Amino acid sequence: MEADELLMLVADGDQKAFEELYGLVSGPVFGLVRRVVRDPAQSEEVTQEVLLELWRSAARFDPRRGSALSFVLTVAHRRAVDRVRSARAAGERDLREARRAHHPAYDQVAEEVEAGLERESVRRCLDRLTALQRQSVTLAYYDGYTYREVAERLRLPLGTVKTRMRDGLGRLRDCLDGAA
């Protein structure tokens, strides 16, 4: 039997005709749904929904308006697009809710003020170092050079740079501890 005849029989409640129609259209329906939905599990679910809808709404089929296969594939396409739109809307809704629910775990203004005060304290304490200590510390900590690279840039022995760094960092620590 042709799909048109089977769908007309399904409209009359013929279960055997539905079984035959199911075997005839389930492959093309799944293929179409899979191309739209992309997720295999979701595609299987939508395919089952489409075939169940065929059982319930077969009476809407009018052979004068097109073939049974085009009717079935139209139903499948609409259902697949609905699933994609629904999933997208749910994702957007979840994202909006997450943004709305997001509260920083800190007071941003207070954090910025505190960071500014810390920077000012560090600057003030750096100014209390000797020029050689300040230069060594600045090259190592702000410019990211290793002790060896600092020694090369300043054309000094590595041991001298290490001593300056140790003394300078000790003075910085004492100064910052006193500022706290």
Side-chain angles (χ1 to χ4, degrees):
M1 257 189 231
E2 295 289 321
D4 291 9
E5 295 172 73
L6 290 171
L7 195 53
M8 301 283 277
L9 292 171
V10 169
D12 292 332
D14 187 331
Q15 289 182 356
K16 187 74 174 154
F18 181 73
E19 288 175 22
E20 285 185 49
L21 182 65
Y22 185 101
L24 192 63
V25 300
S26 61
V29 166
F30 180 75
L32 173 72
V33 170
R34 180 80 163 90
R35 280 191 300 277
V36 174
V37 175
R38 299 219 167 112
D39 177 75
Q42 293 281 326
S43 298
E44 289 174 6
E45 196 173 299
V46 171
T47 298
Q48 289 301 314
E49 291 171 7
V50 168
L51 294 169
L52 182 61
E53 186 175 335
L54 282 180
W55 173 253
R56 293 179 183 155
S57 64
R60 289 191 340 228
F61 171 63
D62 182 358
R64 294 172 295 183
R65 296 179 68 197
S67 71
L69 188 58
S70 65
F71 174 79
V72 170
L73 292 177
T74 299
V75 170
H77 185 263
R78 286 181 184 153
R79 184 63 69 119
V81 168
D82 286 348
R83 176 62 63 97
V84 169
R85 286 179 180 156
S86 175
R88 185 174 297 139
E92 290 170 0
R93 210 173 24 255
D94 291 345
L95 185 60
R96 278 193 310 272
E97 184 59 35
R99 284 184 187 140
R100 209 174 304 128
H102 176 71
H103 299 290
Y106 62 93
D107 181 348
Q108 186 173 358
V109 173
E111 287 285 325
E112 289 175 12
V113 168
E114 190 174 316
L117 291 173
E118 286 174 3
R119 280 192 298 275
E120 185 56 39
S121 293
V122 170
R123 269 192 225 111
R124 185 176 38 77
C125 290
L126 276 172
D127 287 343
R128 291 185 179 172
L129 300 179
T130 67
L132 298 172
Q133 289 171 337
R134 184 175 41 255
Q135 191 177 27
S136 297
V137 170
T138 301
L139 285 170
Y141 287 92
Y142 289 105
D143 296 336
Y145 291 108
T146 65
Y147 285 12
R148 184 173 307 286
E149 291 169 332
V150 170
E152 290 170 5
R153 288 188 62 86
L154 298 178
R155 294 187 178 98
L156 294 170
L158 181 59
T160 302
V161 168
K162 287 182 178 182
T163 300
R164 284 185 188 167
M165 292 290 292
R166 186 189 68 237
D167 293 345
L169 291 174
R171 288 183 65 189
L172 269 177
R173 183 188 63 240
D174 292 344
C175 179
L176 291 171
D177 285 346

